[in-house]
Amino acid sequence: MRVFKIIVIEVFTISNAGAFFKLFRYNTKSVEIAFVGNFELHGNNDFVHISLTFTNGKNFAIISAGNIVAHFARKGDCPMKKITVQHIAEIMNRIAPRQLAEDWDNPGLLVGNFDAPVEKIFVCLDVSEEVIRDAVDFGAQLIVAHHPIIFRAVKNFRTDLPLGRKLELLIKNDVAVFAAHTNLDSVQGGVNDVLAERIGLLDVKNFGEEEFSLGRIGRLPVKMSARNFAAHVKKRLNAGSVRLVDAGNFEIERVGICGGAGAEFIAKAKFYGAQAFVTGDVKYHEAQSAVENKIHVVDAGHFATEFPIVHALAELLRAEFAALDYKIKIAEDTTSRDVFTAI
């Protein structure tokens, strides 16, 4: 007997002859499914089709595997599987595993109910009031954000204050919020890899031999002066402005990066051979230390270094849903702007 592990069961057709459905797995490279009965198997490394024939005039068939039980009815009486916040959370935790988050972080489902149905999703960087209204106008039941809307303990729920107003707006419109923060920073293909690609870095790696790293290091196709590199970063990130910490008269080939607020990794980037570092939210003494340690810094802002993940994450979700045949519509935030304006 072949043994398989069922992760998700999705009905795609049902007829007088029987029910036809797909079995999806977390790991598409190996299959582990266990069942007993009159089944026909068809499939490949991406999914397995099972044909179940109803016998003895029974109207229902029940299949169980592990903690998943699926009920199928004859002649189309079985409803299609409802997609819930839980299903989306499982997909997000495959894209950005929760265990990669920093100890101080607060990712996951922050508003809403795991059992709530989902047909539309709005992807964003920040859960601002404007974003919530855009999500409501789109008809979204779920917002997937990078920054957690709730980060520290909430000691009151006052709707005359910004956080309370946003939570009220979400709850009144039945919109859930799921966040992937530092886990999305660290994971391969996440915030920092998208930032590296946008800047045009090659041979991108984690710092040193670290399996997971909030930052990355790579090289430019051609060497640049500090000023030319700063202008390059500004253009590639569509930033309103950037701040250059010019550490001296030497060119840049190897570049360290950390989207958001990553000045704490400037020294680490220097240790691993970077001549420049790109991040946001750099403070005066951090910049002063960079000059003393002979590493250029380009502060392109928290927003500009992280906003590219919005489109990338929306595309990742679209690909996941297409593979699972989930009919979920996705909209992404394209109107938010940096809160800072250079005068």
Side-chain angles (χ1 to χ4, degrees):
M1 177 193 300
R2 295 181 67 191
V3 178
F4 299 87
K5 180 181 179 183
I6 297 177
I7 302 301
V8 177
I9 302 178
E10 180 73 40
V11 178
F12 64 93
T13 62
I14 189 163
S15 68
N16 291 339
F20 298 81
F21 52 94
K22 298 177 184 178
L23 306 181
F24 294 95
R25 304 170 312 283
Y26 286 113
N27 183 354
T28 58
K29 294 182 180 180
S30 62
V31 187
E32 287 188 37
I33 304 177
F35 41 92
V36 178
N38 185 22
F39 297 94
E40 294 179 10
L41 280 174
H42 313 277
N44 53 35
N45 286 335
D46 294 326
F47 54 80
V48 176
H49 291 183
I50 296 180
S51 171
L52 165 64
T53 303
F54 291 92
T55 58
N56 302 324
K58 294 182 179 180
N59 291 326
F60 292 89
I62 300 176
I63 302 170
S64 64
N67 61 354
I68 296 177
V69 179
H71 298 256
F72 299 101
R74 188 196 289 263
K75 296 183 180 179
D77 293 331
C78 178
M80 294 295 287
K81 184 178 179 68
K82 179 180 71 174
I83 309 304
T84 66
V85 171
Q86 177 65 47
H87 292 103
I88 309 305
E90 289 171 357
I91 291 170
M92 282 300 302
N93 285 327
R94 294 203 298 274
I95 292 173
R98 187 186 179 97
Q99 62 265 29
L100 298 185
E102 299 295 298
D103 292 339
W104 47 263
D105 201 2
N106 191 37
L109 183 64
L110 304 179
V111 179
N113 186 332
F114 277 116
D115 293 330
V118 177
E119 295 179 355
K120 294 182 179 181
I121 294 173
F122 196 88
V123 181
C124 65
L125 183 68
D126 299 295
V127 188
S128 65
E129 191 167 335
E130 293 75 16
V131 160
I132 295 171
R133 295 191 185 280
D134 287 343
V136 170
D137 289 343
F138 175 62
Q141 296 82 29
L142 175 64
I143 292 174
V144 174
H146 179 49
H147 291 143
I149 185 173
I150 300 172
F151 204 84
R152 296 176 179 85
V154 177
K155 297 184 178 181
N156 58 56
F157 188 167
R158 288 178 49 184
T159 57
D160 61 326
L161 297 177
L163 178 58
R165 281 200 304 272
K166 290 191 289 185
L167 294 176
E168 180 186 36
L169 190 58
L170 289 163
I171 293 168
K172 282 186 174 180
N173 288 279
D174 292 323
V175 179
V177 177
F178 186 96
H181 191 207
T182 52
N183 45 330
L184 190 58
D185 290 331
S186 292
V187 74
Q188 294 297 315
V191 170
N192 285 301
D193 289 307
V194 170
L195 175 59
E197 182 179 9
R198 184 65 67 91
I199 293 173
L201 298 184
L202 306 175
D203 301 328
V204 178
K205 301 176 181 178
N206 293 343
F207 288 131
E209 300 300 320
E210 297 178 17
E211 184 179 2
F212 299 105
S213 160
L214 283 174
R216 300 287 189 271
I217 190 165
R219 66 176 179 83
L220 292 168
V222 294
K223 293 182 179 181
M224 294 185 185
S225 68
R227 288 187 175 273
N228 286 345
F229 178 62
H232 169 79
V233 170
K234 178 184 176 183
K235 181 178 179 180
R236 294 299 292 266
L237 296 184
N238 194 29
S241 64
V242 300
R243 297 190 299 165
L244 171 65
V245 179
D246 191 331
N249 186 25
F250 56 92
E251 291 188 313
I252 298 166
E253 181 178 22
R254 289 180 61 78
V255 177
I257 61 168
C258 183
E264 64 189 279
F265 300 111
I266 294 173
K268 181 177 283 189
K270 169 68 176 181
F271 179 81
Y272 287 112
Q275 292 93 32
F277 191 77
V278 178
T279 190
D281 299 349
V282 178
K283 298 178 182 179
Y284 175 80
H285 290 295
E286 293 166 335
Q288 193 175 52
S289 177
V291 172
E292 293 172 345
N293 284 286
K294 301 298 182 184
I295 179 170
H296 303 298
V297 176
V298 177
D299 183 340
H302 200 123
F303 179 87
T305 56
E306 291 193 328
F307 194 70
I309 193 59
V310 173
H311 176 68
L313 180 55
E315 289 295 286
L316 283 171
L317 286 171
R318 289 184 181 108
E320 287 277 347
F321 296 158
L324 296 172
D325 200 26
Y326 283 5
K327 307 303 181 184
I328 303 289
K329 294 182 179 179
I330 297 177
E332 58 194 79
D333 179 22
T334 59
T335 60
S336 290
R337 297 290 181 264
D338 199 333
V339 294
F340 292 101
T341 300
I343 304 301

